[in-house]
Amino acid sequence: MNRRRKLMLGNWKMHHLRSDLVKFGTEFRQSLCSPLASVLEQVDVGIAPSFLCLETLTAQFPEHGWWNVAQNAHYAATGAFTGEISIPMLHEIGITKILVGHSERRQYFAESDQVVGKKVQACFERGMHPIICVGETLEIRKMELAEKTIESQIRAALQHCPPGSSFTIAYEPVWAIGTGIAATARQAQDMHQFIRRVLADLFGESVAIALRILYGGSTKPENISELLSQPDIDGALIGGASLDGGSLARMINSAVSV
Ligand code: 13P
């Protein structure tokens, strides 16, 4: 029995306007099994909305322990990078957690392993907690190179990781994201166990056992319990099913009861 608390995060990607948030919040709170403050005593919960929704969401969920997460940030603290957001800018509005290396950033915005490594390093230097996303494509899996790929993504992301750094890993197989075809609980557990072995190799057994590894990719209220009951699955990074307040709340209810 491990002692890691479950962490349930919604990733809204480029969805939801600020004007959607009141309805979302009402439905979310109504569908939770108990008041949000009590839920947060048992599991960690949060959302990564668009940058423009971050402050509104902070105001809407002031409960202690709620995670307000940015979806991305540049590795430079300041500079001529039109259209980018820096870590100090996020700090200024109270954000301390960032998704780094999501597969959509890698796929559509050409984020290489090297860039992901620089972003993670910048997070550690500036006191941010990165949620580091890794995942293989279907082609890579079919070639039986999934583990090798995940290992090299993790090693590149954490190459400048000082001892004692705080971070989370999210395993999101690219073939499962937005496809409706989640990894089976067995597939996900096997990869999470492998990731924990890589982390043990990098940082030692006692560190690896304490780190949280989330699963992401077509999670929904119907499949979340089975995934969360696997020994090395410590929570979920939820895309489409987090957009509806009721659906996200039901998934969190499952995390409370596994
Ligand atoms: P879906 O849950 O929509 O498959 O998205 C997963 C994801 O990319 C979360 O970061």
Side-chain angles (χ1 to χ4, degrees):
M1 181 67 187
N2 73 63
R3 311 175 78 177
R4 299 180 296 269
R5 272 162 75 93
K6 295 280 191 256
L7 168 58
M8 301 294 283
L9 288 180
N11 172 13
W12 281 357
K13 311 188 178 187
M14 202 172 72
H15 295 285
H16 277 328
L17 304 174
R18 277 192 294 190
S19 52
D20 297 331
L21 298 188
V22 170
K23 179 170 180 281
F24 172 87
T26 307
E27 289 175 359
F28 176 71
R29 286 177 187 277
Q30 275 170 357
S31 306
L32 280 178
C33 54
S34 46
L36 180 56
S38 339
V39 168
L40 289 169
E41 284 167 15
Q42 299 168 77
V43 296
D44 291 329
V45 176
I47 290 175
S50 75
F51 289 120
L52 292 172
C53 286
L54 276 169
E55 285 184 287
T56 315
L57 214 62
T58 305
Q60 195 156 343
F61 295 108
E63 280 89 349
H64 179 73
W66 174 267
W67 285 39
N68 271 317
V69 181
Q71 292 180 14
N72 181 34
H74 199 279
Y75 52 78
T78 178
F81 300 107
T82 301
E84 291 291 312
I85 303 272
S86 73
I87 292 174
M89 289 170 186
L90 293 167
H91 251 309
E92 191 180 39
I93 61 163
I95 302 301
T96 56
K97 300 169 180 84
I98 311 183
L99 299 185
V100 178
H102 191 280
S103 72
E104 287 148 18
R105 299 291 319 165
R106 295 177 189 258
Q107 192 178 347
Y108 304 128
F109 301 96
E111 275 190 21
S112 62
D113 278 351
Q114 283 64 35
V115 169
V116 172
K118 283 168 115 171
K119 290 187 174 197
V120 170
Q121 182 181 10
C123 284
F124 292 147
E125 285 171 2
R126 302 190 182 104
M128 281 272 178
H129 177 111
I131 296 130
I132 302 163
C133 305
V134 296
E136 82 285 359
T137 61
L138 191 56
E139 292 67 38
I140 294 282
R141 179 162 277 261
K142 282 185 178 158
M143 288 190 289
E144 300 190 353
L145 293 172
E147 289 189 351
K148 190 165 177 281
T149 302
I150 299 300
E151 177 164 4
S152 65
Q153 287 177 348
I154 290 176
R155 288 185 184 274
L158 291 167
Q159 59 188 310
H160 304 292
C161 180
S165 302
S166 159
F167 65 91
T168 300
I169 300 284
Y171 170 58
E172 301 203 298
V174 178
W175 47 271
I177 296 179
T179 58
I181 305 163
T184 62
R186 179 62 195 267
Q187 284 172 320
Q189 165 58 24
D190 285 352
M191 188 58 89
H192 282 228
Q193 194 174 28
F194 172 76
I195 291 171
R196 206 175 298 286
R197 279 210 304 274
V198 173
L199 294 170
D201 188 47
L202 281 168
F203 305 112
E205 202 66 51
S206 62
V207 171
I209 208 85
L211 284 167
R212 286 191 287 202
I213 307 171
L214 312 183
Y215 169 77
S218 294
T219 54
K220 48 191 176 209
E222 294 74 31
N223 63 13
I224 196 69
S225 292
E226 196 190 355
L227 287 160
L228 291 180
S229 57
Q230 303 303 308
D232 286 290
I233 300 185
D234 306 313
L237 188 53
I238 308 159
S242 74
L243 295 175
D244 177 85
S247 156
L248 180 62
R250 287 201 297 284
M251 295 170 82
I252 291 164
N253 295 343
S254 298
V256 169
S257 60
V258 286

